[in-house]
Amino acid sequence: SQQGEEDPQALSIQEGENATMNCSYKTSINNLQWYRQNSGRGLVHLILIRSNEREKHSGRLRVTLDTSKKSSSLLITASRAADTASYFCATTDSWGKLQFGAGTQVVVTP
Amino acid sequence: DAGVIQSPRHEVTEMGQEVTLRCKPISGHDYLFWYRQTMMRGLELLIYFNNNVPIDDSGMPEDRFSAKMPNASFSTLKIQPSEPRDSAVYFCASSLYGQPQHFGDGTRLSIL
């Protein structure tokens, strides 16, 4: 069963707009990670946020984590056509196992 | 710096045939993971190894699936006999403990 559930399932925006997607999970975690998957390729790690952190930035990415609500959000600012991909959240348990959500499919049109 | 290398990229075979998927992890990584991705079930962890030893194979769907890691630079996932419902994209990933996983580009498997 999937630990993380992303919302929305799909998102269509124009270049320059911001894209926000959310992830909810069920059990306690060590950290939460976001990955991107381009069509026909493997997943690429974007950012990791630890359970004792509330917010993290990396370039145009901003991730928040609310452990009381068991939720996280990924914000991509000033989106580009190259950001078109599926985005997955993944939670890590104490054994280091990742459990992935179903993903959010993002389409950025020029 | 080579990433995780999987072969073949595509495999089409008939039901009942044996299928072997191969993975070369990133040198120095001590964890290796096999995943399966389908539209219906998303990304599922099948099995993972630490220092070549299988740690958790609870995600392996049934006895037709087996995985080995004879050394630190090579792993195989075998399906025998294959069935149409095994059609999926199979990913291998490697990492150091507590670090993000690095994924290969997957093997797209079609069982006819």
Side-chain angles (χ1 to χ4, degrees), chain B residues 11 18-19 35-37 52 54 60 68 71 77 82 87 89 107-108:
Chain B
E11 173 97 12
E18 178 179 289
V19 172
Y35 292 90
R36 177 172 69 176
Q37 186 177 36
N52 314 338
M60 296 284 261
K68 292 183 181 177
N71 57 62
L77 178 68
S82 57
S87 297
V89 182
T107 295
R108 185 172 293 275

Coordinates of all heavy atoms in Angstrom, one line a residue, chain B residues 11 18-19 35-37 52 54 60 68 71 77 82 87 89 107-108:
Chain B
E11 N 12.2 -5.1 -23.1 CA 12.2 -6.5 -23.3 C 10.7 -6.9 -23.6 O 9.8 -6.6 -22.9 CB 12.6 -7.2 -22.0 CG 12.5 -8.7 -22.0 CD 13.8 -9.5 -22.3 OE1 14.8 -8.8 -22.4 OE2 13.7 -10.7 -22.6
E18 N 11.5 -17.2 -19.3 CA 12.3 -16.7 -18.2 C 12.8 -15.3 -18.6 O 13.2 -15.1 -19.8 CB 13.5 -17.6 -17.9 CG 14.3 -17.0 -16.8 CD 15.5 -17.9 -16.4 OE1 15.2 -19.0 -15.8 OE2 16.6 -17.6 -16.8
V19 N 12.7 -14.3 -17.7 CA 13.2 -13.0 -18.0 C 14.2 -12.6 -16.9 O 14.0 -12.9 -15.7 CB 12.0 -12.0 -17.8 CG1 12.5 -10.6 -17.9 CG2 10.9 -12.3 -18.9
Y35 N 12.4 -1.9 -7.9 CA 11.0 -1.4 -7.9 C 10.3 -1.8 -9.1 O 10.9 -2.1 -10.2 CB 11.0 0.1 -7.8 CG 11.5 0.8 -6.6 CD1 12.8 1.1 -6.4 CD2 10.6 1.1 -5.5 CE1 13.3 1.8 -5.3 CE2 11.1 1.8 -4.4 CZ 12.4 2.1 -4.3 OH 12.9 2.7 -3.1
R36 N 9.0 -1.9 -9.0 CA 8.1 -2.1 -10.2 C 7.1 -0.9 -10.3 O 6.6 -0.5 -9.3 CB 7.4 -3.4 -10.1 CG 6.5 -3.7 -11.2 CD 5.9 -5.2 -11.1 NE 5.0 -5.3 -9.9 CZ 4.4 -6.5 -9.7 NH1 4.6 -7.5 -10.5 NH2 3.6 -6.6 -8.7
Q37 N 6.9 -0.4 -11.5 CA 6.0 0.7 -11.7 C 4.9 0.3 -12.7 O 5.3 -0.1 -13.8 CB 6.7 2.0 -12.1 CG 5.8 3.2 -12.2 CD 6.6 4.5 -12.6 OE1 7.5 4.5 -13.4 NE2 6.2 5.6 -11.9
N52 N 25.1 -6.4 -0.4 CA 24.8 -7.6 -1.2 C 23.9 -8.6 -0.5 O 23.6 -9.7 -1.1 CB 26.1 -8.4 -1.5 CG 27.2 -7.4 -2.0 OD1 26.9 -6.3 -2.5 ND2 28.5 -7.8 -1.9
P54 N 20.2 -9.7 0.9 CA 18.8 -9.3 0.9 C 18.2 -9.0 2.3 O 18.4 -9.8 3.2 CB 18.1 -10.5 0.2 CG 19.0 -11.6 0.4 CD 20.4 -11.1 0.5
M60 N 8.2 -8.8 -3.0 CA 8.2 -9.7 -4.2 C 6.9 -10.4 -4.3 O 6.4 -11.0 -3.3 CB 9.3 -10.7 -3.9 CG 10.7 -10.1 -3.9 SD 11.3 -9.6 -5.5 CE 12.4 -11.0 -5.9
K68 N 19.0 -11.6 -7.0 CA 20.3 -11.9 -6.4 C 21.3 -10.7 -6.6 O 21.1 -9.8 -7.4 CB 20.9 -13.1 -7.2 CG 20.2 -14.4 -7.0 CD 20.9 -15.5 -7.7 CE 20.2 -16.8 -7.6 NZ 20.8 -17.9 -8.3
N71 N 27.7 -9.7 -6.2 CA 28.7 -8.8 -5.7 C 28.2 -7.4 -5.7 O 27.1 -7.1 -6.1 CB 30.0 -9.0 -6.6 CG 29.6 -8.7 -8.1 OD1 29.2 -7.6 -8.4 ND2 29.8 -9.7 -9.0
L77 N 17.3 -9.4 -11.4 CA 15.9 -9.7 -11.0 C 15.4 -10.7 -12.0 O 15.4 -10.4 -13.2 CB 15.0 -8.5 -10.9 CG 13.5 -8.7 -10.6 CD1 13.4 -9.1 -9.1 CD2 12.8 -7.4 -10.8
S82 N 7.3 -16.2 -16.7 CA 6.7 -14.8 -16.8 C 5.2 -15.0 -17.2 O 4.8 -15.9 -17.9 CB 7.5 -14.0 -17.8 OG 7.5 -14.6 -19.1
S87 N 3.9 -7.5 -16.8 CA 4.3 -6.3 -17.7 C 4.3 -5.0 -16.8 O 3.3 -4.7 -16.2 CB 3.3 -6.2 -18.8 OG 3.4 -7.4 -19.6
V89 N 7.3 -1.4 -15.8 CA 8.6 -0.9 -15.9 C 9.3 -1.2 -14.5 O 8.8 -0.9 -13.5 CB 8.6 0.6 -16.1 CG1 10.1 1.1 -16.2 CG2 7.9 1.0 -17.3
T107 N 13.7 -0.8 -17.0 CA 13.5 -1.8 -18.1 C 12.0 -1.9 -18.3 O 11.3 -2.2 -17.3 CB 14.0 -3.2 -17.7 OG1 15.5 -3.2 -17.5 CG2 13.7 -4.2 -18.7
R108 N 11.6 -1.6 -19.5 CA 10.2 -1.7 -19.8 C 9.9 -3.1 -20.3 O 10.4 -3.6 -21.4 CB 9.8 -0.7 -20.9 CG 8.3 -0.7 -21.3 CD 8.0 0.5 -22.2 NE 8.2 1.8 -21.5 CZ 7.3 2.4 -20.8 NH1 6.1 1.9 -20.6 NH2 7.6 3.6 -20.2

